[in-house]
Amino acid sequence: MPAPPPPVLDDPAADPVLSRILAATGLPVRGRFRRTAGWTSRAWLGEDCVVRLSTGPAHGAYAHEAVVAGLLAGSDVPHARRIAHGEGPDGAWYVSERLPGRTLHDAWPAADAGTRRDLIESLGAALRALHRVPVPADLLPPWLREALAGGPWPAYHPPVVGAALQQVEAARRVPGTDARLMADAAAWVRERLPLFREDDPVLVHGDLHGSNVMVEGGRVTGLIDFAESLAQPADAELDTILRWCAMSREYPPDPAGQGLDEAALAAVPGWLHGAYPQLFARPHLRERLHVYDMHRQLALCAHHPEEAGRAAAQLRVAALLRGHDHLDALAW
């Protein structure tokens, strides 16, 4: 049975949270808004703007997104212009312009093969523009900086190459962790870190998958949700994109939704390679992608709140040490 359509508000004043945020921005408290919910936010989609309220633990995510929006201003990157952001009695909020179209996740099932290829080629162009944006070399989301300093981990991505050995040490201290496995992982990481020695960091979205790309008419109208953006090597972007292609069922747009069928995304890596070949051109790319994946698995080993989650991550670390991960399922 299909899910019921999200409720529509004809009077924003009927929703106290929405009306407080609109009033704080100086926008009129009127118009039609459709309520939605994601993994870490509540949202109201208006005719001209999108209002988001954080429901997740990632400290400073919207303030960080505002910083990234400033970096993107005047660039060729299609993105939503920031209108305002702030903190209120209901939590952190962010208001941006509403981009035309719908998410790539929503548009993909009904799109024919030609349209799908056009969309991925347009995504390649958007990523080329993103990776040309000047970025401070130390750009990190505040929640990730705090996590790397020993604080809680509200998310296990994006990868930070220089912190991989730090995650090995954090995992060693967790009861039940296989000490020999972690010793092997540490040696494995040290052997591969020289692969990144000559890298220049670029602005990486950090969480790029079907729900964070807006599309219309066979093209990308904007990349959205830059709360996890950071300065890393450009091919770190592939970590999430290829993971989405190989494991798309694990990327539903919200906790109650469904991810796409992986078979429907089989051609995406090849199309993206054709549209943005430089992204795939680094020597030893497969090994580099394994390092990004290893960072994620080590972070899960060290910080996942459930024993079963930590145990599953250790199995994936062992598979990586043997040269296998989700990339084995992809043709690219």
Side-chain angles (χ1 to χ4, degrees):
M1 179 180 296
V8 174
L9 288 171
D10 289 310
D11 179 11
D15 187 318
V17 175
L18 174 60
S19 62
R20 280 193 289 269
I21 295 173
L22 291 173
T25 67
L27 293 172
V29 185
R30 62 172 184 268
R32 301 190 78 198
F33 285 82
R34 179 164 58 88
R35 287 187 295 202
T36 67
W39 286 94
T40 60
S41 67
R42 295 162 58 188
W44 296 263
L45 309 182
E47 295 178 0
D48 302 311
C49 70
V50 176
V51 178
R52 287 182 288 154
L53 178 72
S54 175
T55 58
H59 168 67
Y62 287 165
H64 179 70
E65 186 165 351
V67 169
V68 177
L71 297 175
L72 297 176
S75 74
D76 293 330
V77 181
H79 68 284
R81 178 179 57 87
R82 184 193 72 89
I83 295 174
H85 75 285
E87 297 267 353
D90 306 295
W93 51 266
Y94 192 99
V95 182
S96 59
E97 68 173 331
R98 182 170 180 179
L99 296 169
R102 51 184 178 160
T103 67
L104 180 62
H105 172 95
D106 290 340
W108 195 260
D112 60 31
T115 301
R116 289 178 175 183
R117 182 166 191 157
D118 289 344
L119 290 171
I120 299 305
E121 289 178 350
S122 181
L123 176 61
L127 288 175
R128 287 199 308 271
L130 177 67
H131 297 160
R132 290 195 299 264
V133 173
V135 60
D138 62 348
L139 181 73
L140 279 177
W143 62 264
L144 182 53
R145 190 181 301 279
E146 292 173 5
L148 292 172
W153 280 71
Y156 302 100
H157 49 80
V160 182
V161 172
L165 285 173
Q166 182 180 336
Q167 297 316 304
V168 174
E169 294 307 312
R172 284 187 204 267
R173 296 192 292 268
V174 177
T177 299
D178 185 331
R180 179 173 294 180
L181 179 69
M182 290 300 108
D184 290 344
W188 185 97
V189 170
R190 289 191 187 96
E191 183 180 345
R192 285 157 179 77
L193 285 179
L195 297 176
F196 301 88
R197 191 171 290 152
E198 303 301 322
D199 286 326
D200 293 320
V202 303
L203 180 58
V204 169
H205 182 282
D207 190 24
L208 199 64
H209 51 78
S211 294
N212 285 336
V213 181
M214 298 296 296
V215 302
E216 185 178 62
R219 67 179 182 89
V220 171
T221 60
L223 309 180
I224 61 174
D225 193 357
F226 285 89
E228 298 190 19
S229 296
L230 73 171
Q232 281 291 284
D235 58 7
E237 206 79 84
L238 285 173
D239 178 62
T240 304
I241 296 173
L242 296 181
R243 192 184 307 276
W244 173 59
C245 292
M247 309 167 66
S248 54
R249 295 174 200 269
E250 298 184 16
Y251 284 81
D254 57 70
Q258 290 186 331
L260 298 175
D261 183 348
E262 288 85 1
L265 297 170
V268 169
W271 289 337
L272 185 61
H273 185 287
Y276 188 2
Q278 299 88 344
L279 192 60
F280 295 77
R282 296 307 298 260
H284 309 288
L285 177 63
R286 184 67 174 265
E287 287 184 88
R288 290 167 62 93
L289 291 171
H290 280 172
V291 173
Y292 297 135
D293 189 23
M294 180 65 83
H295 178 281
R296 179 189 184 96
Q297 304 312 326
L298 291 169
L300 287 164
C301 289
H303 306 289
H304 197 286
E306 298 175 2
E307 183 179 351
R310 297 192 298 272
Q314 288 190 69
L315 291 176
R316 291 190 291 271
V317 168
L320 277 164
L321 293 177
R322 298 191 302 269
H324 299 292
D325 69 354
H326 59 281
L327 298 174
D328 295 345
L330 298 178
W332 53 282

